[in-house]
Amino acid sequence: MNFLKKELSPVFAALAIQAVIFGGLSLLRPVIAEAIDMPVPLLWLALTQGLIAGIVTRGFGFSIPWVIGQLVAPPLLLFALVLDLPSWIFPVILLLLILVFWNVAVGRVPLFLTNRTTSVAILKLLPKKKGVQMADLGSGLGGTLRHLAKHRPDARFTGLETAPIPFALSWLLGRLSGANNLAFRFQDIFRADLGAFDVVYCFLSPVPMPELFKKAKAEMKPGSLFISNSFEVAGHKPHKIVEVYDRRRTKLLVWRM
């Protein structure tokens, strides 16, 4: 059942599901109209498509937010058409969504944001020595690194991000913070030299973890820390698990390289 998720990114898989269901309903619409002896209202079709898409999406193992998105997308699109919005709005909205959730489309990595409680827990895991170098792989809006940079002025923090809008916002907010021990780079995490860091943190998804862990093992210095928020690496038991007492019961999985 997970074949679709493995072969396609969630964005394209979700669109494919909607397209197939739309095609099927379009073929059935005349048959249904003849059976009930009246035209099938577009709202009925939109609601039906959303319901079927949500069920199918869940069947393929997608998370609840994806299911909700599939449920509401067809009726929302219909309402937008009824309101006769300018045609340029749709490509602009699509472009903005792509720029924000770029990593979902190309790497199946959602935009997960580390909360403040977890940032405090990460701060406690940092080595006490001066000059510690830490990287956040997929740093999002950069809130975690700004918090750490403020409380550890003796350390150096680098965020790597490839989603255009989150990167731009993190870079701007980093500059406005005035921290001189903080930098953000528009760089693919698999092209970065992890050997330059004493601590590497990531909050990604299960998809890139095996390859990323292999890269970390090959490049990171002995004694350095690799920290994953929530996502395990199959076949590699962490040396330490830190439970964070936040609403989602976050777990930080810590490996010593």
Side-chain angles (χ1 to χ4, degrees), residues 1 11 37 39 42 48-49 54 61-62 74 104 116 119 125 134 152 154-155 160 182 192 210 214 229 243:
M1 293 294 288
V11 171
D37 195 27
L42 287 176
T48 301
Q49 176 165 339
F62 284 77
V104 178
R116 182 52 55 87
S119 297
L125 290 172
M134 175 184 167
R152 283 294 301 270
D154 61 303
L160 305 181
L182 175 62
K214 181 179 179 181
N229 186 325
E243 295 189 5

PDB file of all heavy atoms in Angstrom, residues 1 11 37 39 42 48-49 54 61-62 74 104 116 119 125 134 152 154-155 160 182 192 210 214 229 243:
ATOM      1  N   MET A   1       0.813  -1.219   0.000  1.00  0.00           N
ATOM      2  CA  MET A   1       0.000   0.000   0.000  1.00  0.00           C
ATOM      3  C   MET A   1       0.845   1.269   0.000  1.00  0.00           C
ATOM      4  O   MET A   1       0.369   2.337  -0.314  1.00  0.00           O
ATOM      5  CB  MET A   1      -0.901   0.013   1.229  1.00  0.00           C
ATOM      6  CG  MET A   1      -1.980  -1.065   1.219  1.00  0.00           C
ATOM      7  SD  MET A   1      -3.170  -0.817  -0.095  1.00  0.00           S
ATOM      8  CE  MET A   1      -4.048   0.603   0.556  1.00  0.00           C
ATOM      9  N   VAL A  11       3.443  15.214  -2.968  1.00  0.00           N
ATOM     10  CA  VAL A  11       2.716  16.208  -3.759  1.00  0.00           C
ATOM     11  C   VAL A  11       2.199  15.583  -5.054  1.00  0.00           C
ATOM     12  O   VAL A  11       1.013  15.678  -5.392  1.00  0.00           O
ATOM     13  CB  VAL A  11       3.618  17.416  -4.077  1.00  0.00           C
ATOM     14  CG1 VAL A  11       2.929  18.338  -5.076  1.00  0.00           C
ATOM     15  CG2 VAL A  11       3.953  18.182  -2.814  1.00  0.00           C
ATOM     16  N   ASP A  37     -32.218  10.914 -13.139  1.00  0.00           N
ATOM     17  CA  ASP A  37     -33.059  11.741 -14.007  1.00  0.00           C
ATOM     18  C   ASP A  37     -32.917  13.224 -13.671  1.00  0.00           C
ATOM     19  O   ASP A  37     -33.907  13.960 -13.661  1.00  0.00           O
ATOM     20  CB  ASP A  37     -34.527  11.305 -13.904  1.00  0.00           C
ATOM     21  CG  ASP A  37     -35.363  11.878 -15.047  1.00  0.00           C
ATOM     22  OD1 ASP A  37     -34.775  12.136 -16.112  1.00  0.00           O
ATOM     23  OD2 ASP A  37     -36.573  12.067 -14.850  1.00  0.00           O
ATOM     24  N   PRO A  39     -29.489  16.507 -13.631  1.00  0.00           N
ATOM     25  CA  PRO A  39     -28.050  16.780 -13.683  1.00  0.00           C
ATOM     26  C   PRO A  39     -27.410  16.620 -12.286  1.00  0.00           C
ATOM     27  O   PRO A  39     -28.038  16.929 -11.275  1.00  0.00           O
ATOM     28  CB  PRO A  39     -27.980  18.238 -14.154  1.00  0.00           C
ATOM     29  CG  PRO A  39     -29.309  18.511 -14.784  1.00  0.00           C
ATOM     30  CD  PRO A  39     -30.299  17.669 -14.044  1.00  0.00           C
ATOM     31  N   LEU A  42     -22.485  20.167  -9.289  1.00  0.00           N
ATOM     32  CA  LEU A  42     -21.024  20.199  -9.178  1.00  0.00           C
ATOM     33  C   LEU A  42     -20.568  20.069  -7.730  1.00  0.00           C
ATOM     34  O   LEU A  42     -19.527  19.480  -7.453  1.00  0.00           O
ATOM     35  CB  LEU A  42     -20.488  21.502  -9.783  1.00  0.00           C
ATOM     36  CG  LEU A  42     -20.527  21.601 -11.308  1.00  0.00           C
ATOM     37  CD1 LEU A  42     -20.051  22.975 -11.764  1.00  0.00           C
ATOM     38  CD2 LEU A  42     -19.678  20.507 -11.938  1.00  0.00           C
ATOM     39  N   THR A  48     -17.887  14.517  -3.272  1.00  0.00           N
ATOM     40  CA  THR A  48     -17.638  13.089  -3.478  1.00  0.00           C
ATOM     41  C   THR A  48     -16.170  12.836  -3.818  1.00  0.00           C
ATOM     42  O   THR A  48     -15.540  11.910  -3.294  1.00  0.00           O
ATOM     43  CB  THR A  48     -18.526  12.539  -4.609  1.00  0.00           C
ATOM     44  OG1 THR A  48     -19.902  12.751  -4.271  1.00  0.00           O
ATOM     45  CG2 THR A  48     -18.277  11.056  -4.822  1.00  0.00           C
ATOM     46  N   GLN A  49     -15.624  13.685  -4.696  1.00  0.00           N
ATOM     47  CA  GLN A  49     -14.218  13.522  -5.057  1.00  0.00           C
ATOM     48  C   GLN A  49     -13.322  13.694  -3.837  1.00  0.00           C
ATOM     49  O   GLN A  49     -12.371  12.933  -3.636  1.00  0.00           O
ATOM     50  CB  GLN A  49     -13.822  14.526  -6.135  1.00  0.00           C
ATOM     51  CG  GLN A  49     -12.326  14.441  -6.466  1.00  0.00           C
ATOM     52  CD  GLN A  49     -11.966  15.131  -7.750  1.00  0.00           C
ATOM     53  OE1 GLN A  49     -12.817  15.355  -8.598  1.00  0.00           O
ATOM     54  NE2 GLN A  49     -10.692  15.472  -7.903  1.00  0.00           N
ATOM     55  N   GLY A  54      -9.742  11.382   0.001  1.00  0.00           N
ATOM     56  CA  GLY A  54      -9.278  11.254   1.380  1.00  0.00           C
ATOM     57  C   GLY A  54      -9.144   9.800   1.801  1.00  0.00           C
ATOM     58  O   GLY A  54      -8.155   9.407   2.432  1.00  0.00           O
ATOM     59  N   GLY A  61      -1.446   5.105   3.198  1.00  0.00           N
ATOM     60  CA  GLY A  61      -0.593   5.319   4.348  1.00  0.00           C
ATOM     61  C   GLY A  61      -0.161   6.743   4.585  1.00  0.00           C
ATOM     62  O   GLY A  61       0.751   6.990   5.381  1.00  0.00           O
ATOM     63  N   PHE A  62      -0.793   7.699   3.936  1.00  0.00           N
ATOM     64  CA  PHE A  62      -0.440   9.101   4.152  1.00  0.00           C
ATOM     65  C   PHE A  62      -0.946   9.561   5.522  1.00  0.00           C
ATOM     66  O   PHE A  62      -1.915   9.019   6.059  1.00  0.00           O
ATOM     67  CB  PHE A  62      -1.034   9.987   3.058  1.00  0.00           C
ATOM     68  CG  PHE A  62      -0.310   9.906   1.745  1.00  0.00           C
ATOM     69  CD1 PHE A  62      -0.477   8.827   0.896  1.00  0.00           C
ATOM     70  CD2 PHE A  62       0.547  10.918   1.352  1.00  0.00           C
ATOM     71  CE1 PHE A  62       0.183   8.743  -0.312  1.00  0.00           C
ATOM     72  CE2 PHE A  62       1.214  10.861   0.142  1.00  0.00           C
ATOM     73  CZ  PHE A  62       1.036   9.759  -0.694  1.00  0.00           C
ATOM     74  N   PRO A  74     -11.005  19.659  -3.476  1.00  0.00           N
ATOM     75  CA  PRO A  74     -11.990  19.827  -4.552  1.00  0.00           C
ATOM     76  C   PRO A  74     -13.084  20.853  -4.238  1.00  0.00           C
ATOM     77  O   PRO A  74     -13.357  21.725  -5.072  1.00  0.00           O
ATOM     78  CB  PRO A  74     -12.561  18.410  -4.728  1.00  0.00           C
ATOM     79  CG  PRO A  74     -11.477  17.510  -4.257  1.00  0.00           C
ATOM     80  CD  PRO A  74     -10.873  18.232  -3.094  1.00  0.00           C
ATOM     81  N   VAL A 104       9.136  19.105   0.231  1.00  0.00           N
ATOM     82  CA  VAL A 104       8.104  18.070   0.163  1.00  0.00           C
ATOM     83  C   VAL A 104       8.003  17.541  -1.262  1.00  0.00           C
ATOM     84  O   VAL A 104       7.903  16.337  -1.500  1.00  0.00           O
ATOM     85  CB  VAL A 104       6.736  18.620   0.614  1.00  0.00           C
ATOM     86  CG1 VAL A 104       5.672  17.551   0.489  1.00  0.00           C
ATOM     87  CG2 VAL A 104       6.822  19.104   2.058  1.00  0.00           C
ATOM     88  N   ARG A 116      10.113  25.486  20.915  1.00  0.00           N
ATOM     89  CA  ARG A 116      11.056  26.087  21.858  1.00  0.00           C
ATOM     90  C   ARG A 116      11.477  25.108  22.952  1.00  0.00           C
ATOM     91  O   ARG A 116      12.636  25.083  23.373  1.00  0.00           O
ATOM     92  CB  ARG A 116      10.444  27.355  22.472  1.00  0.00           C
ATOM     93  CG  ARG A 116      11.368  28.111  23.439  1.00  0.00           C
ATOM     94  CD  ARG A 116      12.733  28.421  22.836  1.00  0.00           C
ATOM     95  NE  ARG A 116      12.657  29.136  21.584  1.00  0.00           N
ATOM     96  CZ  ARG A 116      12.586  30.468  21.500  1.00  0.00           C
ATOM     97  NH1 ARG A 116      12.594  31.200  22.599  1.00  0.00           N
ATOM     98  NH2 ARG A 116      12.531  31.050  20.320  1.00  0.00           N
ATOM     99  N   SER A 119      14.101  23.020  21.582  1.00  0.00           N
ATOM    100  CA  SER A 119      15.329  23.800  21.432  1.00  0.00           C
ATOM    101  C   SER A 119      16.093  23.882  22.747  1.00  0.00           C
ATOM    102  O   SER A 119      17.330  23.814  22.780  1.00  0.00           O
ATOM    103  CB  SER A 119      15.005  25.211  20.925  1.00  0.00           C
ATOM    104  OG  SER A 119      14.411  25.163  19.640  1.00  0.00           O
ATOM    105  N   LEU A 125      22.203  19.459  25.326  1.00  0.00           N
ATOM    106  CA  LEU A 125      23.008  18.379  24.757  1.00  0.00           C
ATOM    107  C   LEU A 125      24.325  18.866  24.157  1.00  0.00           C
ATOM    108  O   LEU A 125      25.220  18.061  23.897  1.00  0.00           O
ATOM    109  CB  LEU A 125      22.211  17.651  23.673  1.00  0.00           C
ATOM    110  CG  LEU A 125      21.031  16.802  24.154  1.00  0.00           C
ATOM    111  CD1 LEU A 125      20.218  16.312  22.951  1.00  0.00           C
ATOM    112  CD2 LEU A 125      21.515  15.614  24.967  1.00  0.00           C
ATOM    113  N   MET A 134      27.909  23.585  15.233  1.00  0.00           N
ATOM    114  CA  MET A 134      26.676  22.808  15.087  1.00  0.00           C
ATOM    115  C   MET A 134      25.973  23.153  13.791  1.00  0.00           C
ATOM    116  O   MET A 134      25.929  24.318  13.382  1.00  0.00           O
ATOM    117  CB  MET A 134      25.720  23.060  16.252  1.00  0.00           C
ATOM    118  CG  MET A 134      24.370  22.365  16.088  1.00  0.00           C
ATOM    119  SD  MET A 134      23.191  22.733  17.395  1.00  0.00           S
ATOM    120  CE  MET A 134      21.674  22.084  16.652  1.00  0.00           C
ATOM    121  N   ARG A 152      24.379  30.416  23.486  1.00  0.00           N
ATOM    122  CA  ARG A 152      25.745  29.904  23.415  1.00  0.00           C
ATOM    123  C   ARG A 152      26.576  30.777  22.477  1.00  0.00           C
ATOM    124  O   ARG A 152      26.928  30.373  21.372  1.00  0.00           O
ATOM    125  CB  ARG A 152      25.755  28.450  22.938  1.00  0.00           C
ATOM    126  CG  ARG A 152      25.362  27.434  23.985  1.00  0.00           C
ATOM    127  CD  ARG A 152      26.381  27.340  25.137  1.00  0.00           C
ATOM    128  NE  ARG A 152      27.702  26.968  24.665  1.00  0.00           N
ATOM    129  CZ  ARG A 152      28.144  25.713  24.553  1.00  0.00           C
ATOM    130  NH1 ARG A 152      27.340  24.710  24.898  1.00  0.00           N
ATOM    131  NH2 ARG A 152      29.369  25.470  24.130  1.00  0.00           N
ATOM    132  N   ASP A 154      29.531  31.406  22.527  1.00  0.00           N
ATOM    133  CA  ASP A 154      30.863  30.859  22.304  1.00  0.00           C
ATOM    134  C   ASP A 154      30.880  29.790  21.215  1.00  0.00           C
ATOM    135  O   ASP A 154      31.949  29.325  20.806  1.00  0.00           O
ATOM    136  CB  ASP A 154      31.387  30.233  23.597  1.00  0.00           C
ATOM    137  CG  ASP A 154      30.503  29.081  24.070  1.00  0.00           C
ATOM    138  OD1 ASP A 154      29.292  29.316  24.268  1.00  0.00           O
ATOM    139  OD2 ASP A 154      31.003  27.958  24.204  1.00  0.00           O
ATOM    140  N   ALA A 155      29.716  29.368  20.742  1.00  0.00           N
ATOM    141  CA  ALA A 155      29.610  28.325  19.728  1.00  0.00           C
ATOM    142  C   ALA A 155      29.255  28.944  18.377  1.00  0.00           C
ATOM    143  O   ALA A 155      28.924  30.125  18.274  1.00  0.00           O
ATOM    144  CB  ALA A 155      28.563  27.296  20.136  1.00  0.00           C
ATOM    145  N   LEU A 160      21.264  24.763   7.170  1.00  0.00           N
ATOM    146  CA  LEU A 160      21.231  24.406   5.753  1.00  0.00           C
ATOM    147  C   LEU A 160      19.778  24.200   5.337  1.00  0.00           C
ATOM    148  O   LEU A 160      19.052  23.423   5.951  1.00  0.00           O
ATOM    149  CB  LEU A 160      22.024  23.123   5.498  1.00  0.00           C
ATOM    150  CG  LEU A 160      23.478  23.100   5.967  1.00  0.00           C
ATOM    151  CD1 LEU A 160      24.122  21.769   5.615  1.00  0.00           C
ATOM    152  CD2 LEU A 160      24.270  24.254   5.371  1.00  0.00           C
ATOM    153  N   LEU A 182      26.090  32.965  13.851  1.00  0.00           N
ATOM    154  CA  LEU A 182      24.978  32.287  13.193  1.00  0.00           C
ATOM    155  C   LEU A 182      25.024  32.549  11.697  1.00  0.00           C
ATOM    156  O   LEU A 182      25.212  33.682  11.261  1.00  0.00           O
ATOM    157  CB  LEU A 182      23.656  32.799  13.776  1.00  0.00           C
ATOM    158  CG  LEU A 182      22.341  32.314  13.164  1.00  0.00           C
ATOM    159  CD1 LEU A 182      22.199  30.811  13.328  1.00  0.00           C
ATOM    160  CD2 LEU A 182      21.159  33.038  13.819  1.00  0.00           C
ATOM    161  N   ALA A 192      26.778  18.886   1.803  1.00  0.00           N
ATOM    162  CA  ALA A 192      27.534  19.549   2.866  1.00  0.00           C
ATOM    163  C   ALA A 192      28.574  18.592   3.449  1.00  0.00           C
ATOM    164  O   ALA A 192      28.379  17.376   3.476  1.00  0.00           O
ATOM    165  CB  ALA A 192      26.590  20.017   3.962  1.00  0.00           C
ATOM    166  N   PRO A 210      18.170   6.920   6.448  1.00  0.00           N
ATOM    167  CA  PRO A 210      19.229   5.914   6.256  1.00  0.00           C
ATOM    168  C   PRO A 210      20.445   6.456   5.511  1.00  0.00           C
ATOM    169  O   PRO A 210      21.587   6.243   5.934  1.00  0.00           O
ATOM    170  CB  PRO A 210      18.519   4.813   5.457  1.00  0.00           C
ATOM    171  CG  PRO A 210      17.071   4.970   5.801  1.00  0.00           C
ATOM    172  CD  PRO A 210      16.872   6.452   5.948  1.00  0.00           C
ATOM    173  N   LYS A 214      24.232   7.263   7.106  1.00  0.00           N
ATOM    174  CA  LYS A 214      25.429   6.684   6.482  1.00  0.00           C
ATOM    175  C   LYS A 214      26.452   7.771   6.175  1.00  0.00           C
ATOM    176  O   LYS A 214      27.664   7.589   6.407  1.00  0.00           O
ATOM    177  CB  LYS A 214      25.033   5.947   5.203  1.00  0.00           C
ATOM    178  CG  LYS A 214      26.186   5.278   4.482  1.00  0.00           C
ATOM    179  CD  LYS A 214      25.693   4.563   3.233  1.00  0.00           C
ATOM    180  CE  LYS A 214      26.854   3.910   2.478  1.00  0.00           C
ATOM    181  NZ  LYS A 214      26.368   3.219   1.242  1.00  0.00           N
ATOM    182  N   ASN A 229      15.453  14.420  15.518  1.00  0.00           N
ATOM    183  CA  ASN A 229      14.194  14.695  16.184  1.00  0.00           C
ATOM    184  C   ASN A 229      13.158  13.700  15.678  1.00  0.00           C
ATOM    185  O   ASN A 229      12.754  13.745  14.512  1.00  0.00           O
ATOM    186  CB  ASN A 229      13.748  16.128  15.895  1.00  0.00           C
ATOM    187  CG  ASN A 229      12.518  16.539  16.674  1.00  0.00           C
ATOM    188  OD1 ASN A 229      11.631  15.740  16.924  1.00  0.00           O
ATOM    189  ND2 ASN A 229      12.456  17.806  17.046  1.00  0.00           N
ATOM    190  N   GLU A 243      13.739  12.426  26.179  1.00  0.00           N
ATOM    191  CA  GLU A 243      12.310  12.694  26.068  1.00  0.00           C
ATOM    192  C   GLU A 243      12.029  14.152  26.410  1.00  0.00           C
ATOM    193  O   GLU A 243      12.451  14.638  27.460  1.00  0.00           O
ATOM    194  CB  GLU A 243      11.527  11.768  26.998  1.00  0.00           C
ATOM    195  CG  GLU A 243      11.628  10.295  26.604  1.00  0.00           C
ATOM    196  CD  GLU A 243      10.680   9.426  27.402  1.00  0.00           C
ATOM    197  OE1 GLU A 243       9.876   9.979  28.183  1.00  0.00           O
ATOM    198  OE2 GLU A 243      10.737   8.194  27.240  1.00  0.00           O
TER     199      GLU A 243
END
